[in-house]
Amino acid sequence: MFKIALRGVTAAALLTVPLTTTAVADSARHVAPLPLTAAVDLLPTAVESRDGYQRAAFKHWVDADRDSCNTRAEVLIAESRVQPTIEAGCKVTAGEWYSYYDGVTVTAPGGLDIDHMVPLAEAWDSGASAWTAARREAYANDLDADRSLVAVTAKTNRSKADQDPADWLPPLADARCTYTADWVATKLRWLLTVDDRERATLAGLAEGCGQQPVEYEPAP
């Protein structure tokens, strides 16, 4: 992924915070990198169902840490390749973002959407329908994994909509192995399932991606 900053913690903070028991435990939760083909094999298979889905079931773009910046703003700030311009109320008005789905550089945030790597509807189909409202909110605002949320051009995000890789892939061919790895990592992080068609597509993509690694940390 093309990211320039860790979300939710600064480099300076990492240097000054002592290694606590909690930090050690968090480190232990990290799964060692896997080849993409092996990661696809770990995905559980299940039939998908969209029964009862409503987008409102996933409360999103919240200000979880109450710093005046909602989730969208946090992603824009973290992913800007230059120091972003931020006005009162944490309104991000300028910066420079690379939309890796289509290889386009954007300087006005109005041209960007924040994409859920695995769309909310797809997450619902794949297991989130059984989650609590709190867990769905955590999923929709997941700032602890860079691949969960990504700033991309509004055009590509709306083209993707709620489709899985069997029906949509980034228009930039060079982005597809990264995208496949990010998709698989997100599903593994949140213990989401795949259906047979999705699995077959992911397996086929993985075969053409060489040693593309997959890294993820199970969600709390």
Side-chain angles (χ1 to χ4, degrees), residues 55-153:
R55 187 171 175 82
F58 294 82
K59 185 178 180 181
H60 54 288
W61 303 169
V62 301
D63 178 10
D65 58 5
R66 300 185 180 182
D67 65 351
S68 299
C69 299
N70 66 17
T71 302
R72 173 182 166 84
E74 297 275 16
V75 175
L76 290 174
I77 292 167
E79 294 196 2
S80 179
R81 290 181 157 188
V82 300
Q83 185 70 30
T85 302
I86 306 171
E87 296 182 355
C90 199
K91 181 179 181 181
V92 181
T93 58
E96 183 179 292
W97 297 270
Y98 179 75
S99 169
Y100 94 90
Y101 290 1
D102 51 2
V104 174
T105 297
V106 178
T107 56
L112 295 166
D113 281 353
I114 306 303
D115 183 38
H116 290 92
M117 174 55 57
V118 175
L120 302 181
E122 170 69 19
W124 179 273
D125 298 351
S126 307
S129 59
W131 293 352
T132 63
R135 186 164 180 82
R136 286 194 289 267
E137 179 177 331
Y139 176 84
N141 299 277
D142 186 10
L143 293 170
D144 293 328
D146 283 352
R147 57 190 46 81
S148 293
L149 298 166
V150 56
V152 295
T153 56

